Amino acid sequence: MTTFPKGTLPLGLAVLLGATSVQAQDSTDIEPVTLRLAHVVNEQDGFHIAAEKFKELVDERTDGAVTIDLYPNATLGDERTLLEGMQIGTVDMGVITNGPVANFVDEMAVFELPFLFSSPEAAYGVLDGPIGQELLDKLSDVNLKGLAYAERGFRNLTNSAHPVTSPADLDGLRIRVMENPVYVDTFRELGANAVPMAWTEALTAMQQGTIDGQENPVNVIHSFKLNETQDYMTLTRHTYAPAIFVMGMPVWQQLPEAAQQAIESSAQDAAEYEREQNAAMRTEQLAELRDAGMQIESSPDISAFQNAVAPVYDKYAEQFGDYLPRIREALE
């Protein structure tokens, strides 16, 4: 089995696995290894829920041979930094929002198209099916290993200026979006001043008032207590955002097959667990945000939003090859 050149061993690998056959199928054949899993959100967030479940399942399925150490709160860097670290082997793995991943594999951004999915179940059918797996496999072209689709969820708008019920209300508002061109263009078409920036920077920008708002799922708005800087939320559900359990290929290739199988199955099961938890918590989270004083618009003019973002489809449809028509066919 090929080993890392001297001096390039990933920080998370406690022991080289060269002595273990890649054909090993029994967890007793896995030599002890510690992997570092990083994400950029806090311990109340769905990403951490998924990461903790993953850690538990991997420990169980490898009889303790593979240990997962968790690094939340961007302690190892923002999402782009984490992905770049995975590529060269200085970060082992992470739970990463789909938007930043799409900067490495363009086609992944097809999932970011506004109002593509009508429900979580519709999204799961595509993500967990052949189309989703095909796109996960494309990550190997950029030295990453896609494991499974966890969930960021349906994204909603918040702001500190005034209620938003239609695109006209977004005119001139400075809205933070992920560093992804589909998001930037979506909010520009809606009339906002789209400001792409890392999440860690966005939190400071909201506190300082240098941006007016942001867009994220309810679980993020709740876990980061955005009601403290954002007075208004609009349940636009404008984009369903997956998140990805992803590992650096340098680390993945050093693992024996038994460990790979345990990691891959655990990632899928942890992703599905996180989806269930997000759904169970959403109603309570919205109630708590209302009680904390956030004004929530639950019935915006969705048709107006959909019409406004039509040019985004015109611009990006060809970029995604046949993925958009295949997704639409799968949704029918």
Side-chain angles (χ1 to χ4, degrees):
M1 184 178 195
T2 304
T3 58
F4 293 107
K6 184 177 180 181
T8 63
L9 179 64
L11 297 177
L13 276 175
V15 178
L16 272 177
L17 300 172
T20 304
S21 166
V22 295
Q23 299 302 318
Q25 298 297 319
D26 193 319
S27 62
T28 58
D29 295 329
I30 304 173
E31 294 190 23
V33 58
T34 298
L35 301 173
R36 303 193 307 171
L37 185 156
H39 61 74
V40 302
V41 290
N42 61 31
E43 292 88 340
Q44 289 71 51
D45 191 88
F47 280 18
H48 199 71
I49 291 171
E52 286 187 315
K53 174 58 72 171
F54 175 75
K55 173 185 173 79
E56 172 192 323
L57 292 173
V58 169
D59 180 75
E60 175 185 308
R61 293 172 185 180
T62 64
D63 294 325
V66 179
T67 300
I68 307 295
D69 286 347
L70 304 182
Y71 292 80
N73 294 302
T75 52
L76 300 186
D78 62 27
E79 291 186 309
R80 173 178 280 277
T81 300
L82 292 176
L83 289 165
E84 291 171 347
M86 289 179 220
Q87 288 178 311
I88 62 175
T90 58
V91 176
D92 299 329
M93 63 184 305
V95 182
I96 309 293
T97 313
N98 190 73
V101 177
N103 290 322
F104 292 75
V105 174
D106 291 345
E107 293 92 339
M108 297 293 290
V110 69
F111 298 134
E112 313 291 337
L113 287 169
F115 303 103
L116 178 63
F117 297 116
S118 60
S119 68
E121 293 72 25
Y124 303 157
V126 172
L127 295 170
D128 295 341
I131 296 172
Q133 186 59 54
E134 192 176 309
L135 285 167
L136 282 182
D137 291 343
K138 278 184 172 290
L139 287 170
S140 64
D141 296 339
V142 292
N143 218 27
L144 297 168
K145 172 63 181 177
L147 297 168
Y149 293 98
E151 180 173 76
R152 180 39 84 215
F154 275 105
R155 304 179 75 91
N156 302 287
L157 176 72
T158 70
N159 83 95
S160 59
H162 52 246
V164 172
T165 61
S166 71
D169 298 322
L170 276 169
D171 186 36
L173 289 186
R174 296 161 297 174
I175 304 297
R176 176 267 174 180
V177 296
M178 284 190 292
E179 297 168 287
N180 178 293
V182 174
Y183 279 92
V184 173
D185 286 337
T186 293
F187 274 84
R188 285 178 178 165
E189 293 296 339
L190 290 172
N193 178 7
V195 183
M197 65 171 66
W199 179 238
T200 48
E201 298 172 12
L203 293 170
T204 302
M206 280 184 277
Q207 291 169 350
Q208 296 175 344
T210 55
I211 58 174
D212 299 307
Q214 61 84 58
E215 47 83 51
N216 253 308
V218 171
N219 53 26
V220 177
I221 295 164
H222 179 270
S223 67
F224 281 90
K225 299 181 179 179
L226 296 192
N227 55 284
E228 294 178 356
T229 59
Q230 305 278 281
D231 297 324
Y232 307 97
M233 185 199 306
T234 307
L235 298 182
T236 48
R237 295 167 59 88
H238 51 270
T239 303
Y240 176 84
I244 300 177
F245 271 101
V246 59
M247 179 176 281
M249 193 61 77
V251 177
W252 175 259
Q253 291 175 333
Q254 289 296 319
L255 296 170
E257 187 176 343
Q260 291 178 342
Q261 291 176 350
I263 286 169
E264 208 155 17
S265 67
S266 297
Q268 181 63 37
D269 289 346
E272 293 178 16
Y273 176 80
E274 186 221 4
R275 294 169 180 173
E276 293 168 359
Q277 294 303 303
N278 283 343
M281 294 186 298
R282 193 170 296 119
T283 300
E284 181 179 345
Q285 289 168 343
L286 283 169
E288 290 179 4
L289 288 166
R290 283 193 179 95
D291 290 343
M294 182 173 258
Q295 183 175 322
I296 301 175
E297 173 56 60
S298 57
S299 301
D301 187 350
I302 294 299
S303 294
F305 281 94
Q306 290 174 318
N307 291 336
V309 299
V312 177
Y313 280 81
D314 295 335
K315 180 174 181 178
Y316 287 100
E318 291 187 8
Q319 174 181 317
F320 301 131
D322 66 349
Y323 284 110
L324 180 57
R326 286 171 62 193
I327 289 171
R328 283 174 162 164
E329 183 179 355
L331 292 172
E332 288 178 357

PDB file of all heavy atoms in Angstrom, residues 267-291:
ATOM      1  N   ALA A 267     -21.614   7.825   7.529  1.00  0.00           N
ATOM      2  CA  ALA A 267     -21.919   9.168   7.028  1.00  0.00           C
ATOM      3  C   ALA A 267     -23.351   9.240   6.513  1.00  0.00           C
ATOM      4  O   ALA A 267     -24.086  10.196   6.803  1.00  0.00           O
ATOM      5  CB  ALA A 267     -20.931   9.561   5.937  1.00  0.00           C
ATOM      6  N   GLN A 268     -23.780   8.239   5.751  1.00  0.00           N
ATOM      7  CA  GLN A 268     -25.143   8.234   5.224  1.00  0.00           C
ATOM      8  C   GLN A 268     -26.167   8.162   6.351  1.00  0.00           C
ATOM      9  O   GLN A 268     -27.156   8.910   6.361  1.00  0.00           O
ATOM     10  CB  GLN A 268     -25.337   7.050   4.266  1.00  0.00           C
ATOM     11  CG  GLN A 268     -26.729   6.970   3.644  1.00  0.00           C
ATOM     12  CD  GLN A 268     -27.059   8.164   2.764  1.00  0.00           C
ATOM     13  OE1 GLN A 268     -26.179   8.673   2.068  1.00  0.00           O
ATOM     14  NE2 GLN A 268     -28.304   8.602   2.772  1.00  0.00           N
ATOM     15  N   ASP A 269     -25.925   7.299   7.316  1.00  0.00           N
ATOM     16  CA  ASP A 269     -26.879   7.154   8.413  1.00  0.00           C
ATOM     17  C   ASP A 269     -26.907   8.401   9.292  1.00  0.00           C
ATOM     18  O   ASP A 269     -27.973   8.809   9.777  1.00  0.00           O
ATOM     19  CB  ASP A 269     -26.539   5.921   9.250  1.00  0.00           C
ATOM     20  CG  ASP A 269     -26.836   4.623   8.509  1.00  0.00           C
ATOM     21  OD1 ASP A 269     -27.536   4.676   7.475  1.00  0.00           O
ATOM     22  OD2 ASP A 269     -26.359   3.561   8.945  1.00  0.00           O
ATOM     23  N   ALA A 270     -25.754   9.009   9.509  1.00  0.00           N
ATOM     24  CA  ALA A 270     -25.707  10.245  10.307  1.00  0.00           C
ATOM     25  C   ALA A 270     -26.404  11.382   9.577  1.00  0.00           C
ATOM     26  O   ALA A 270     -27.069  12.216  10.203  1.00  0.00           O
ATOM     27  CB  ALA A 270     -24.256  10.614  10.604  1.00  0.00           C
ATOM     28  N   ALA A 271     -26.268  11.421   8.255  1.00  0.00           N
ATOM     29  CA  ALA A 271     -26.943  12.443   7.458  1.00  0.00           C
ATOM     30  C   ALA A 271     -28.453  12.309   7.583  1.00  0.00           C
ATOM     31  O   ALA A 271     -29.174  13.301   7.775  1.00  0.00           O
ATOM     32  CB  ALA A 271     -26.509  12.333   6.000  1.00  0.00           C
ATOM     33  N   GLU A 272     -28.954  11.090   7.473  1.00  0.00           N
ATOM     34  CA  GLU A 272     -30.394  10.870   7.586  1.00  0.00           C
ATOM     35  C   GLU A 272     -30.890  11.182   9.000  1.00  0.00           C
ATOM     36  O   GLU A 272     -31.996  11.725   9.172  1.00  0.00           O
ATOM     37  CB  GLU A 272     -30.725   9.430   7.188  1.00  0.00           C
ATOM     38  CG  GLU A 272     -30.459   9.157   5.703  1.00  0.00           C
ATOM     39  CD  GLU A 272     -30.739   7.717   5.299  1.00  0.00           C
ATOM     40  OE1 GLU A 272     -31.415   7.000   6.069  1.00  0.00           O
ATOM     41  OE2 GLU A 272     -30.279   7.304   4.213  1.00  0.00           O
ATOM     42  N   TYR A 273     -30.076  10.888   9.983  1.00  0.00           N
ATOM     43  CA  TYR A 273     -30.426  11.220  11.366  1.00  0.00           C
ATOM     44  C   TYR A 273     -30.544  12.728  11.541  1.00  0.00           C
ATOM     45  O   TYR A 273     -31.491  13.221  12.170  1.00  0.00           O
ATOM     46  CB  TYR A 273     -29.371  10.648  12.305  1.00  0.00           C
ATOM     47  CG  TYR A 273     -29.569  11.012  13.761  1.00  0.00           C
ATOM     48  CD1 TYR A 273     -30.490  10.317  14.545  1.00  0.00           C
ATOM     49  CD2 TYR A 273     -28.828  12.035  14.348  1.00  0.00           C
ATOM     50  CE1 TYR A 273     -30.677  10.641  15.882  1.00  0.00           C
ATOM     51  CE2 TYR A 273     -29.006  12.368  15.684  1.00  0.00           C
ATOM     52  CZ  TYR A 273     -29.929  11.668  16.446  1.00  0.00           C
ATOM     53  OH  TYR A 273     -30.103  12.007  17.768  1.00  0.00           O
ATOM     54  N   GLU A 274     -29.587  13.475  10.987  1.00  0.00           N
ATOM     55  CA  GLU A 274     -29.629  14.930  11.097  1.00  0.00           C
ATOM     56  C   GLU A 274     -30.877  15.497  10.434  1.00  0.00           C
ATOM     57  O   GLU A 274     -31.515  16.420  10.960  1.00  0.00           O
ATOM     58  CB  GLU A 274     -28.391  15.554  10.459  1.00  0.00           C
ATOM     59  CG  GLU A 274     -28.315  17.058  10.661  1.00  0.00           C
ATOM     60  CD  GLU A 274     -27.837  17.827   9.447  1.00  0.00           C
ATOM     61  OE1 GLU A 274     -27.619  17.208   8.381  1.00  0.00           O
ATOM     62  OE2 GLU A 274     -27.704  19.064   9.547  1.00  0.00           O
ATOM     63  N   ARG A 275     -31.249  14.966   9.273  1.00  0.00           N
ATOM     64  CA  ARG A 275     -32.463  15.433   8.600  1.00  0.00           C
ATOM     65  C   ARG A 275     -33.684  15.266   9.510  1.00  0.00           C
ATOM     66  O   ARG A 275     -34.520  16.171   9.620  1.00  0.00           O
ATOM     67  CB  ARG A 275     -32.682  14.634   7.311  1.00  0.00           C
ATOM     68  CG  ARG A 275     -31.621  14.843   6.235  1.00  0.00           C
ATOM     69  CD  ARG A 275     -31.818  13.807   5.138  1.00  0.00           C
ATOM     70  NE  ARG A 275     -30.847  13.921   4.063  1.00  0.00           N
ATOM     71  CZ  ARG A 275     -30.738  13.032   3.071  1.00  0.00           C
ATOM     72  NH1 ARG A 275     -31.548  11.984   3.046  1.00  0.00           N
ATOM     73  NH2 ARG A 275     -29.833  13.204   2.120  1.00  0.00           N
ATOM     74  N   GLU A 276     -33.779  14.111  10.153  1.00  0.00           N
ATOM     75  CA  GLU A 276     -34.914  13.851  11.044  1.00  0.00           C
ATOM     76  C   GLU A 276     -34.920  14.824  12.217  1.00  0.00           C
ATOM     77  O   GLU A 276     -35.982  15.336  12.612  1.00  0.00           O
ATOM     78  CB  GLU A 276     -34.840  12.408  11.560  1.00  0.00           C
ATOM     79  CG  GLU A 276     -35.039  11.351  10.483  1.00  0.00           C
ATOM     80  CD  GLU A 276     -34.675   9.955  10.970  1.00  0.00           C
ATOM     81  OE1 GLU A 276     -34.259   9.831  12.148  1.00  0.00           O
ATOM     82  OE2 GLU A 276     -34.796   8.997  10.182  1.00  0.00           O
ATOM     83  N   GLN A 277     -33.749  15.080  12.777  1.00  0.00           N
ATOM     84  CA  GLN A 277     -33.653  15.988  13.912  1.00  0.00           C
ATOM     85  C   GLN A 277     -34.019  17.419  13.509  1.00  0.00           C
ATOM     86  O   GLN A 277     -34.695  18.137  14.254  1.00  0.00           O
ATOM     87  CB  GLN A 277     -32.242  15.948  14.501  1.00  0.00           C
ATOM     88  CG  GLN A 277     -31.879  14.614  15.137  1.00  0.00           C
ATOM     89  CD  GLN A 277     -32.835  14.203  16.229  1.00  0.00           C
ATOM     90  OE1 GLN A 277     -33.036  14.945  17.198  1.00  0.00           O
ATOM     91  NE2 GLN A 277     -33.445  13.050  16.091  1.00  0.00           N
ATOM     92  N   ASN A 278     -33.559  17.839  12.334  1.00  0.00           N
ATOM     93  CA  ASN A 278     -33.899  19.185  11.857  1.00  0.00           C
ATOM     94  C   ASN A 278     -35.412  19.356  11.738  1.00  0.00           C
ATOM     95  O   ASN A 278     -35.965  20.379  12.156  1.00  0.00           O
ATOM     96  CB  ASN A 278     -33.243  19.444  10.496  1.00  0.00           C
ATOM     97  CG  ASN A 278     -31.770  19.764  10.608  1.00  0.00           C
ATOM     98  OD1 ASN A 278     -31.270  20.105  11.678  1.00  0.00           O
ATOM     99  ND2 ASN A 278     -31.052  19.654   9.497  1.00  0.00           N
ATOM    100  N   ALA A 279     -36.065  18.359  11.154  1.00  0.00           N
ATOM    101  CA  ALA A 279     -37.519  18.442  10.983  1.00  0.00           C
ATOM    102  C   ALA A 279     -38.230  18.489  12.331  1.00  0.00           C
ATOM    103  O   ALA A 279     -39.186  19.254  12.519  1.00  0.00           O
ATOM    104  CB  ALA A 279     -38.009  17.247  10.168  1.00  0.00           C
ATOM    105  N   ALA A 280     -37.741  17.700  13.283  1.00  0.00           N
ATOM    106  CA  ALA A 280     -38.390  17.635  14.595  1.00  0.00           C
ATOM    107  C   ALA A 280     -38.234  18.940  15.365  1.00  0.00           C
ATOM    108  O   ALA A 280     -39.124  19.331  16.134  1.00  0.00           O
ATOM    109  CB  ALA A 280     -37.801  16.478  15.398  1.00  0.00           C
ATOM    110  N   MET A 281     -37.126  19.634  15.152  1.00  0.00           N
ATOM    111  CA  MET A 281     -36.835  20.836  15.943  1.00  0.00           C
ATOM    112  C   MET A 281     -37.367  22.131  15.335  1.00  0.00           C
ATOM    113  O   MET A 281     -37.456  23.151  16.012  1.00  0.00           O
ATOM    114  CB  MET A 281     -35.318  20.972  16.111  1.00  0.00           C
ATOM    115  CG  MET A 281     -34.684  19.868  16.942  1.00  0.00           C
ATOM    116  SD  MET A 281     -32.913  20.164  17.269  1.00  0.00           S
ATOM    117  CE  MET A 281     -32.236  20.165  15.603  1.00  0.00           C
ATOM    118  N   ARG A 282     -37.742  22.112  14.048  1.00  0.00           N
ATOM    119  CA  ARG A 282     -38.017  23.362  13.337  1.00  0.00           C
ATOM    120  C   ARG A 282     -39.178  24.157  13.950  1.00  0.00           C
ATOM    121  O   ARG A 282     -39.074  25.381  14.155  1.00  0.00           O
ATOM    122  CB  ARG A 282     -38.292  23.060  11.866  1.00  0.00           C
ATOM    123  CG  ARG A 282     -38.274  24.302  10.967  1.00  0.00           C
ATOM    124  CD  ARG A 282     -38.302  23.898   9.507  1.00  0.00           C
ATOM    125  NE  ARG A 282     -37.092  23.157   9.158  1.00  0.00           N
ATOM    126  CZ  ARG A 282     -37.069  21.893   8.717  1.00  0.00           C
ATOM    127  NH1 ARG A 282     -38.202  21.217   8.574  1.00  0.00           N
ATOM    128  NH2 ARG A 282     -35.934  21.297   8.417  1.00  0.00           N
ATOM    129  N   THR A 283     -40.280  23.511  14.249  1.00  0.00           N
ATOM    130  CA  THR A 283     -41.440  24.219  14.800  1.00  0.00           C
ATOM    131  C   THR A 283     -41.107  24.879  16.133  1.00  0.00           C
ATOM    132  O   THR A 283     -41.450  26.041  16.374  1.00  0.00           O
ATOM    133  CB  THR A 283     -42.626  23.245  14.976  1.00  0.00           C
ATOM    134  OG1 THR A 283     -42.978  22.701  13.696  1.00  0.00           O
ATOM    135  CG2 THR A 283     -43.818  23.963  15.555  1.00  0.00           C
ATOM    136  N   GLU A 284     -40.406  24.143  16.980  1.00  0.00           N
ATOM    137  CA  GLU A 284     -40.015  24.685  18.285  1.00  0.00           C
ATOM    138  C   GLU A 284     -39.043  25.857  18.116  1.00  0.00           C
ATOM    139  O   GLU A 284     -39.143  26.862  18.831  1.00  0.00           O
ATOM    140  CB  GLU A 284     -39.369  23.584  19.120  1.00  0.00           C
ATOM    141  CG  GLU A 284     -38.951  24.039  20.510  1.00  0.00           C
ATOM    142  CD  GLU A 284     -38.338  22.913  21.325  1.00  0.00           C
ATOM    143  OE1 GLU A 284     -38.489  21.738  20.931  1.00  0.00           O
ATOM    144  OE2 GLU A 284     -37.698  23.211  22.354  1.00  0.00           O
ATOM    145  N   GLN A 285     -38.128  25.748  17.166  1.00  0.00           N
ATOM    146  CA  GLN A 285     -37.158  26.822  16.946  1.00  0.00           C
ATOM    147  C   GLN A 285     -37.852  28.101  16.475  1.00  0.00           C
ATOM    148  O   GLN A 285     -37.527  29.200  16.938  1.00  0.00           O
ATOM    149  CB  GLN A 285     -36.114  26.370  15.929  1.00  0.00           C
ATOM    150  CG  GLN A 285     -35.163  25.315  16.470  1.00  0.00           C
ATOM    151  CD  GLN A 285     -34.322  24.658  15.394  1.00  0.00           C
ATOM    152  OE1 GLN A 285     -34.639  24.740  14.197  1.00  0.00           O
ATOM    153  NE2 GLN A 285     -33.256  24.007  15.798  1.00  0.00           N
ATOM    154  N   LEU A 286     -38.810  27.960  15.572  1.00  0.00           N
ATOM    155  CA  LEU A 286     -39.554  29.139  15.108  1.00  0.00           C
ATOM    156  C   LEU A 286     -40.322  29.783  16.252  1.00  0.00           C
ATOM    157  O   LEU A 286     -40.358  31.013  16.388  1.00  0.00           O
ATOM    158  CB  LEU A 286     -40.515  28.740  13.977  1.00  0.00           C
ATOM    159  CG  LEU A 286     -39.889  28.525  12.600  1.00  0.00           C
ATOM    160  CD1 LEU A 286     -40.905  27.887  11.653  1.00  0.00           C
ATOM    161  CD2 LEU A 286     -39.384  29.841  12.020  1.00  0.00           C
ATOM    162  N   ALA A 287     -40.919  28.963  17.104  1.00  0.00           N
ATOM    163  CA  ALA A 287     -41.670  29.492  18.245  1.00  0.00           C
ATOM    164  C   ALA A 287     -40.750  30.256  19.196  1.00  0.00           C
ATOM    165  O   ALA A 287     -41.102  31.337  19.695  1.00  0.00           O
ATOM    166  CB  ALA A 287     -42.370  28.351  18.982  1.00  0.00           C
ATOM    167  N   GLU A 288     -39.567  29.719  19.423  1.00  0.00           N
ATOM    168  CA  GLU A 288     -38.616  30.381  20.320  1.00  0.00           C
ATOM    169  C   GLU A 288     -38.123  31.702  19.730  1.00  0.00           C
ATOM    170  O   GLU A 288     -37.940  32.686  20.466  1.00  0.00           O
ATOM    171  CB  GLU A 288     -37.446  29.453  20.620  1.00  0.00           C
ATOM    172  CG  GLU A 288     -37.832  28.278  21.510  1.00  0.00           C
ATOM    173  CD  GLU A 288     -36.672  27.344  21.797  1.00  0.00           C
ATOM    174  OE1 GLU A 288     -35.533  27.644  21.357  1.00  0.00           O
ATOM    175  OE2 GLU A 288     -36.894  26.314  22.463  1.00  0.00           O
ATOM    176  N   LEU A 289     -37.928  31.739  18.414  1.00  0.00           N
ATOM    177  CA  LEU A 289     -37.502  32.985  17.776  1.00  0.00           C
ATOM    178  C   LEU A 289     -38.606  34.034  17.866  1.00  0.00           C
ATOM    179  O   LEU A 289     -38.333  35.212  18.126  1.00  0.00           O
ATOM    180  CB  LEU A 289     -37.116  32.717  16.316  1.00  0.00           C
ATOM    181  CG  LEU A 289     -35.803  31.953  16.113  1.00  0.00           C
ATOM    182  CD1 LEU A 289     -35.685  31.455  14.677  1.00  0.00           C
ATOM    183  CD2 LEU A 289     -34.598  32.828  16.483  1.00  0.00           C
ATOM    184  N   ARG A 290     -39.862  33.627  17.670  1.00  0.00           N
ATOM    185  CA  ARG A 290     -40.982  34.558  17.820  1.00  0.00           C
ATOM    186  C   ARG A 290     -41.051  35.086  19.250  1.00  0.00           C
ATOM    187  O   ARG A 290     -41.228  36.281  19.485  1.00  0.00           O
ATOM    188  CB  ARG A 290     -42.303  33.869  17.455  1.00  0.00           C
ATOM    189  CG  ARG A 290     -42.541  33.703  15.969  1.00  0.00           C
ATOM    190  CD  ARG A 290     -43.988  33.305  15.684  1.00  0.00           C
ATOM    191  NE  ARG A 290     -44.244  33.151  14.265  1.00  0.00           N
ATOM    192  CZ  ARG A 290     -44.178  31.986  13.631  1.00  0.00           C
ATOM    193  NH1 ARG A 290     -43.859  30.883  14.295  1.00  0.00           N
ATOM    194  NH2 ARG A 290     -44.421  31.922  12.327  1.00  0.00           N
ATOM    195  N   ASP A 291     -40.910  34.186  20.213  1.00  0.00           N
ATOM    196  CA  ASP A 291     -40.969  34.589  21.614  1.00  0.00           C
ATOM    197  C   ASP A 291     -39.845  35.549  21.971  1.00  0.00           C
ATOM    198  O   ASP A 291     -39.990  36.387  22.879  1.00  0.00           O
ATOM    199  CB  ASP A 291     -40.897  33.357  22.524  1.00  0.00           C
ATOM    200  CG  ASP A 291     -42.152  32.496  22.454  1.00  0.00           C
ATOM    201  OD1 ASP A 291     -43.181  33.003  21.960  1.00  0.00           O
ATOM    202  OD2 ASP A 291     -42.095  31.329  22.883  1.00  0.00           O
TER     203      ASP A 291
END
